[in-house]
Amino acid sequence: MALRPIVKEGEEILLKKSRPVEAFDDRLGQLLDDMAETMYAADGVGLAAPQVGILRRVCVIDIGEGLLELVNPVVTAQSGVQETLEGCLSSPGKCGITRRPKKVTVTYQDRTGAARTITGEDLLAKALCHEIDHLNGILYATHVIRWQEA
Ligand code: CO
């Protein structure tokens, strides 16, 4: 495992769309391991591959309930609204209140390629939306309704 540098806001790669993962190999496993280590070291709750310079549809999330590894995630259902504080490891020292769905269902693949589904509410729903946005080149600022002093 290895820490990878986190790309900061202003870098063009964060605005690009990531490509689907097709090979569920050791290289993917290494990327997932490194992303988890990098996320934990930065005290984050989520990290997407473009944030470590890789334009692949991969993200990791841990809201304190264990590590989630999501490959090729897609939001398949959403409901409700939440307006809560949100930030991003690529934008240190900034945060804002965003408007997000309160509940989302996401289909994805695990590191072996097996199909999985997860439904998350509140913080998990926000994290899922935030990380999947990264895979589409969308930053959370798009969803900010009110900036806050960090
Ligand atoms: Co982010």
Side-chain angles (χ1 to χ4, degrees):
M1 301 229 290
L3 288 177
R4 301 201 186 194
I6 297 177
V7 175
K8 297 302 189 299
E9 194 180 343
E11 296 284 328
E12 205 175 320
I13 193 169
L14 291 178
L15 305 178
K16 292 185 174 172
K17 194 171 164 135
S18 293
R19 298 185 306 276
V21 170
E22 285 156 7
F24 294 83
D25 54 11
D26 290 349
R27 200 180 154 109
L28 174 64
Q30 186 67 60
L31 174 62
L32 283 162
D33 289 346
D34 289 355
M35 284 175 60
E37 188 178 357
T38 303
M39 172 182 73
Y40 289 126
D43 213 13
V45 299
L47 189 69
Q51 293 180 278
V52 293
I54 307 286
L55 284 172
R56 288 286 180 180
R57 303 188 78 80
V58 174
C59 58
V60 292
I61 290 172
D62 190 339
I63 61 160
E65 298 176 352
L67 178 63
L68 284 170
E69 299 176 334
L70 302 108
V71 181
N72 299 329
V74 178
V75 176
T76 56
Q78 62 179 62
S79 60
V81 176
Q82 59 175 322
E83 293 180 359
T84 57
L85 201 57
E86 185 166 338
C88 179
L89 291 178
S90 292
S91 306
K94 286 173 67 178
C95 60
I97 303 288
T98 57
R99 183 174 290 133
R100 297 281 195 183
K102 183 165 176 62
K103 184 176 178 181
V104 295
T105 298
V106 171
T107 60
Y108 64 100
Q109 288 165 284
D110 67 16
R111 67 163 65 201
T112 72
R116 292 178 178 269
T117 302
I118 188 168
T119 296
E121 291 187 62
D122 301 316
L123 177 55
L124 181 55
K126 177 166 62 174
L128 286 163
C129 291
H130 180 116
E131 301 313 329
I132 292 170
D133 269 356
H134 271 302
L135 307 182
N136 293 317
I138 296 167
L139 299 178
Y140 82 101
T142 309
H143 302 281
V144 169
I145 54 176
R146 191 165 68 251
W147 289 101
Q148 289 222 336
E149 294 299 321

